[in-house]
Amino acid sequence: MASVELSNLQKTFGAFTALEQLNLKIDDGEFLVLLGPSGCGKSTTMRLVAGLEEPTAGDILIGGRRINDVPARDRDLAMVFQNYALYPHMTVGENIGYPLKIARLPRAERESRVREAAEKVEMAHLLTRRPGELSGGQRQRVALARAIVRTPQLFLMDEPLSNLDAKLRTVMRAELKHLQKELGTTTIYVTHDQVEAMTLADRIVILNDARIQQIGTPAEVYARPDNTFVASFIGSPPMNLIEGQVERGTFAHAGGALALPGQPDGPAIIGIRPEDIAVAHGAGDLSGTVFSSELLGDSTLLNVRSGEAMIAVKVGPTEGREMNSAIALHFDAAKLHVFDKATGARRA
Ligand code: ATP
């Protein structure tokens, strides 16, 4: 187990910058998730820590020790990838035990550690099967067991659940979180799925365009996104962002106007989450027409067209509306976010 520190880490490929000066400290035992859209630099960060790529500049420290020049095999970390990369001709037990064989551990010790790791992922009864005879979820468990069998100081996981169907992903997510806390092994986990990030992480690092956009606990990034990118990336559906003009404490937009005291005159973007909007009885803060009404079981998601904007609203399961009917919405003033129009940065 160890802490990890990335200091001014940078990676360029020719003229292309895959990662700008990244600074990040990961605590011992922490489950840290790197979240961002395709191409933002998540996997590059992971590959740098793993030693599969060399940084253009900056330092990587594991347990306080600079490991830039330490070869990948000596970094004492275990990786789990999207394609589990199991050896098809080996049994489950042989696959799990392979890292121990490479490390030349005696057979008896290997066998007991393989059994122990297999038990942790509930695969001990399938040790003699081959990967071809397993389900996707079982293969994923074998890959996890192979990662934990060596008790490394760090786990690196790159989209390890994305090959599984939605239901199994939810099950494996819970198992993975439980296992990581039980083992207490520092983990860096890459995903583009914000639900996975929210549910697994102690802290989330949101990346876009090779830069960190925000670092925080799931609750922090949800409640107080630093900019419109984070606001529109976290949450399902994400925060509504509405462009308009502030004039003498009033925010005017295509669908109405609302009080926005203390903000300077000029263009601005307000943000509000779907659950912080209610259907108004009266004028409301915004009026529009119902574009769609979707019953989700425990709630109803209304999509309301207002001017150019499409506003997502989460209401009760019995509050569905007719398509194309007129609707007025009330925004919870305490839950309004204000962003700068030019930079997207949070103002309030
Ligand atoms: P994804 O979710 O699609 O895997 P990612 O965030 O993991 O995306 P990276 O793999 O880190 O993205 O890549 C970041 C950027 O660097 C991408 O634009 C990619 O095309 C570029 N890149 C990665 N490896 C190389 C390489 N060897 N040569 C040139 N460009 C590269």
Side-chain angles (χ1 to χ4, degrees):
M1 276 179 275
S3 61
V4 179
E5 186 172 348
L6 310 180
S7 172
N8 294 322
L9 196 62
Q10 192 193 351
K11 181 67 185 174
T12 57
F13 295 103
F16 180 78
T17 301
L19 206 61
E20 300 260 9
Q21 305 246 318
L22 190 101
N23 284 290
L24 184 60
K25 282 186 184 165
I26 305 161
D27 291 335
D28 189 11
E30 184 171 11
F31 198 134
L32 185 106
V33 175
L34 298 177
L35 171 69
S38 182
C40 69
K42 311 180 291 288
S43 300
T44 300
T45 310
M46 200 72 125
R47 292 173 61 79
L48 289 169
V49 176
L52 303 174
E53 298 275 3
E54 273 193 31
T56 308
D59 291 324
I60 304 166
L61 290 87
I62 299 184
R65 171 175 166 236
R66 185 177 180 275
I67 52 132
N68 288 43
D69 305 318
V70 175
R73 65 174 181 280
D74 296 331
R75 291 192 182 189
D76 192 19
L77 44 84
M79 302 164 76
V80 185
F81 289 117
Q82 180 176 355
N83 59 346
Y84 321 128
L86 301 178
Y87 298 108
H89 59 285
M90 292 185 191
T91 63
V92 166
E94 286 163 349
N95 264 288
I96 297 174
Y98 192 68
L100 304 180
K101 196 169 178 186
I102 297 290
R104 296 175 188 276
L105 258 71
R107 175 180 291 270
E109 185 178 349
R110 275 188 345 233
E111 279 175 4
S112 77
R113 283 175 62 175
V114 164
R115 178 154 291 280
E116 206 180 311
E119 274 167 8
K120 283 229 157 51
V121 297
E122 289 168 27
M123 286 294 289
H125 59 301
L126 297 174
L127 285 177
T128 55
R129 289 248 190 116
R130 287 181 207 282
E133 300 161 340
L134 300 175
S135 72
Q138 290 169 333
R139 276 181 223 154
Q140 184 56 39
R141 279 170 221 232
V142 177
L144 274 175
R146 187 179 52 185
I148 65 179
V149 77
R150 271 194 312 124
T151 54
Q153 51 177 350
L154 178 64
F155 287 140
L156 299 181
M157 303 191 181
D158 196 342
E159 308 252 7
L161 305 183
S162 54
N163 278 353
L164 306 177
D165 67 50
K167 197 170 170 203
L168 192 54
R169 213 160 44 221
T170 314
V171 175
M172 286 300 294
R173 206 166 65 201
E175 289 186 6
L176 189 61
K177 184 165 186 175
H178 188 87
L179 186 67
Q180 194 269 344
K181 286 291 162 237
E182 195 176 274
L183 298 170
T185 308
T186 314
T187 300
I188 308 180
Y189 187 105
V190 160
T191 182
H192 62 271
D193 179 347
Q194 63 93 24
V195 177
E196 221 166 271
M198 292 292 284
T199 49
L200 284 171
D202 292 321
R203 279 187 311 156
I204 304 178
V205 176
I206 297 137
L207 285 171
N208 190 34
D209 280 345
R211 284 195 188 87
I212 293 182
Q213 303 293 316
Q214 188 167 1
I215 306 175
T217 65
E220 283 164 358
V221 295
Y222 189 84
R224 250 187 104 73
D226 277 351
N227 56 42
T228 47
F229 177 81
V230 177
S232 61
F233 207 77
I234 301 276
S236 176
M239 184 183 284
N240 294 294
L241 296 172
I242 305 166
E243 293 189 16
Q245 289 283 336
V246 182
E247 214 178 302
R248 280 176 279 124
T250 298
F251 177 83
H253 58 102
L258 57 106
L260 204 58
Q263 287 294 320
D265 284 0
I269 298 175
I270 61 164
I272 184 140
R273 293 218 175 267
E275 64 271 27
D276 298 328
I277 304 178
V279 176
H281 306 286
D285 298 311
L286 180 143
S287 59
T289 53
V290 175
F291 178 76
S292 64
S293 177
E294 303 164 357
L295 177 64
L296 303 177
D298 60 346
S299 60
T300 302
L301 182 67
L302 302 176
N303 282 301
V304 175
R305 194 183 277 289
S306 174
E308 293 285 289
M310 184 73 87
I311 314 288
V313 185
K314 205 170 176 186
V315 293
T318 58
E319 293 182 80
R321 292 287 173 123
E322 287 291 317
M323 201 167 98
N324 292 328
S325 60
I327 189 167
L329 303 175
H330 171 68
F331 295 173
D332 182 343
K335 301 282 178 62
L336 270 186
H337 308 251
V338 186
F339 301 99
D340 191 87
K341 168 82 164 52
T343 64
R346 178 181 199 89
R347 278 200 208 150

